[in-house]
Amino acid sequence: MNFERRTFVKGVAGLAATAAVTGTASAADGRTQYLVGANGNSVADAVADAGFEVRHELADGDVLVVVGSSDAAADIESIGGVNDANPDVTLELDEPEVDAEADDETPPSDGAALSDLQWDKEVTDVFEAHEYATGEDTRVAIIDTGIDLNHPDLGNVNEDLGRAFVVDDDVPEIGPDDSGYHGTHVAGTVGATGESGVVGTAPDTELIPVRVFPADGGAAFGDILAGIDYAAEIGADAANFSLGIPGVQQPGSELNKLKAEVQTVFQSAVRRGTVITGSAGNASGSLQGSGFTLPNSVPAAFTVSATSPADTLSFYSNFGTSDIDIAAPGGYYETIPRTLGETGEPDDIPFPLNAVLSTWPTDLESSVDLPGYDFIAGTSMAAPQVAGLAALVRELEPDANASRVEQAIQKGAEDANGKSDSEFGAGIINALNTVERLSNGK
């Protein structure tokens, strides 16, 4: 690989998006989309025979994504083999911001390579880990807004396998290309090749763009599940789901009614070998409670909290005993004052360079002077660090099941006692520790 060195001047960074439930999912013609729990493949035929459109059959037919009138739930549930039918919900990317601007002074790293600005890879020893593995012969699906198909650092994107699952697609012509920016940044964190500017955790992996967002509006949960099911269908070693839902969804909420179908699809994907990495969410809150959170309440998901350059929990990251599986760099410090340089240590990385640098759509304006790159922060940036590490593990142990991959990552983690730390789970990932352990047969 060619880690070509480039330079750029800093700009203003934003906080990465988390997902918020915003309404009921509808098709372009106004009909309602439903998530349907079923008892196998034959049920889809019965639902279709009853006059409903079956958009997706997931988890071997145990979950259906169905379109019908707004009052069709009871009629769908009356069909033989149907367990339940609930209106699908939409998730929109909500973007809280740090209320500050970058200093005008030239950063100390000006003139250095872009890889020198990737503190997230340095603190997790990713560059050293590449002596052992780079993700060769692996595949990671990015369930998100799509991926910039023309980015110079994303030449490992498989456009042919890319898909768009969008119930009301306002930009069908772009296919799996990025309808925003989020997916491109996530993809670079997983597997940027270093051809031009930045290096991902697994630079030799194959990236699969799975777009579930339109250009304007929210992603239907049924389409997100279709993307995860597709990732398992094509044999993805990992599927990254950087769409953590803030807060606990109480019993009776619209999202909680979909819990069984979400669990079924996630568990099906994991049984087929795909590790599902999910972001814990950016609400600065505890995930403990009697309700349902995503991805945290789904045992099949590998939930990731966000850490700072100082290996502390980032101020925005959700937390919770038994809800966080692992932690990884997401950017910013444990408080806003330290993030902005108002408090902290002499060697702290200045704002906004203490966010995560990754790829950015080349047709969008960036807050840095070099097009195609930007700094943003969030648990959305933490989860793909783990997805990339899963690819390194799979390169070294191609026959390992999803549970074995997760265990290898947890055993290689640092800064936690046991696996139930409320902030870090099993600890903060360390790529070098993980691959060295595997190389030594541990």
Side-chain angles (χ1 to χ4, degrees):
M1 293 172 293
N2 176 24
F3 300 152
E4 184 178 352
R5 294 180 176 269
R6 300 283 179 88
T7 62
F8 75 107
V9 180
K10 73 175 181 181
V12 177
L15 186 66
T18 190
V21 178
T22 57
T24 301
S26 300
D29 59 6
R31 291 181 300 159
T32 297
Q33 180 160 289
Y34 295 87
L35 282 186
V36 177
N39 294 324
N41 290 325
S42 61
V43 180
D45 293 335
V47 172
D49 289 343
F52 298 100
E53 178 188 352
V54 179
R55 291 191 63 231
H56 305 298
E57 297 181 50
L58 312 177
D60 295 324
D62 287 339
V63 174
L64 308 177
V65 180
V66 175
V67 175
S69 64
S70 60
D71 58 353
D75 290 336
I76 297 172
E77 288 181 342
S78 69
I79 299 170
V82 170
N83 298 324
D84 56 75
N86 289 290
D88 196 0
V89 300
T90 56
L91 309 178
E92 290 198 17
L93 295 177
D94 182 28
E95 301 180 58
E97 296 180 355
V98 175
D99 187 16
E101 293 185 354
D103 295 333
D104 292 331
E105 64 188 47
T106 301
S109 53
D110 183 37
L114 295 187
S115 60
D116 291 344
L117 298 178
Q118 293 186 270
W119 62 266
D120 54 311
K121 306 306 184 192
E122 293 176 359
V123 300
T124 54
D125 293 332
V126 163
F127 298 131
E128 293 87 348
H130 289 166
E131 297 294 326
Y132 295 84
T134 56
E136 187 174 358
D137 295 326
T138 66
R139 174 178 290 171
V140 178
I142 309 298
I143 317 299
D144 215 295
T145 62
I147 301 176
D148 182 355
L149 303 177
N150 298 310
H151 198 288
D153 277 336
L154 298 174
N156 51 347
V157 171
N158 187 327
E159 182 178 355
D160 291 338
L161 283 180
R163 292 290 185 274
F165 297 100
V166 185
V167 60
D168 186 8
D169 196 353
D170 53 357
V171 283
E173 67 278 1
I174 76 169
D177 208 338
D178 203 333
S179 61
Y181 68 87
H182 196 263
T184 295
H185 197 279
V186 166
T189 301
V190 172
T193 63
E195 180 65 28
S196 182
V198 296
V199 183
T201 302
D204 284 336
T205 196
E206 180 183 51
L207 296 170
I208 309 299
V210 181
R211 182 170 66 86
V212 295
F213 279 88
D216 184 23
F221 219 93
D223 293 342
I224 294 170
L225 296 183
I228 291 172
D229 189 81
Y230 175 71
E233 178 186 329
I234 62 173
D237 296 284
N240 190 78
F241 170 71
S242 279
L243 300 170
I245 308 303
V248 176
Q249 304 293 310
Q250 294 302 323
S253 70
E254 292 303 309
L255 184 59
N256 216 321
K257 293 177 183 178
L258 308 180
K259 180 178 180 180
E261 284 68 48
V262 172
Q263 289 179 327
T264 297
V265 173
F266 275 44
Q267 289 166 351
S268 172
V270 167
R271 282 197 301 270
R272 287 178 277 173
T274 299
V275 175
I276 302 174
T277 50
S279 53
N282 302 331
S284 310
S286 174
L287 298 171
Q288 302 298 119
S290 59
F292 179 58
T293 71
L294 279 173
N296 321 294
S297 293
V298 181
F302 203 37
T303 304
V304 188
S305 61
T307 58
S308 76
D311 288 341
T312 55
L313 188 73
S314 301
F315 70 84
Y316 52 82
S317 181
N318 286 341
F319 55 90
T321 303
S322 302
D323 288 282
I324 303 300
D325 294 306
I326 201 76
Y332 296 163
Y333 286 96
E334 68 277 4
T335 67
I336 292 177
R338 187 175 183 183
T339 296
L340 300 178
E342 298 168 0
T343 62
E345 302 297 327
D347 60 350
D348 279 357
I349 300 173
F351 178 86
L353 306 183
N354 49 32
V356 173
L357 176 66
S358 189
T359 47
W360 193 255
T362 52
D363 60 351
L364 291 184
E365 183 178 356
S366 170
S367 68
V368 294
D369 286 349
L370 183 64
Y373 304 92
D374 215 334
F375 291 92
I376 57 176
T379 55
S380 286
M381 283 60 258
Q385 313 272 8
V386 182
L389 183 51
L392 301 190
V393 172
R394 269 282 168 73
E395 177 186 345
L396 296 175
E397 291 199 359
D399 296 327
N401 61 26
S403 178
R404 165 62 178 159
V405 173
E406 293 174 10
Q407 289 171 5
I409 292 171
Q410 290 178 316
K411 288 178 179 178
E414 301 177 315
D415 297 324
N417 295 318
K419 292 186 178 182
S420 58
D421 186 276
S422 66
E423 295 184 347
F424 302 152
I428 302 171
I429 63 167
N430 185 285
L432 182 60
N433 285 354
T434 301
V435 297
E436 279 188 333
R437 287 178 59 88
L438 292 175
S439 297
N440 292 328
K442 296 182 180 180

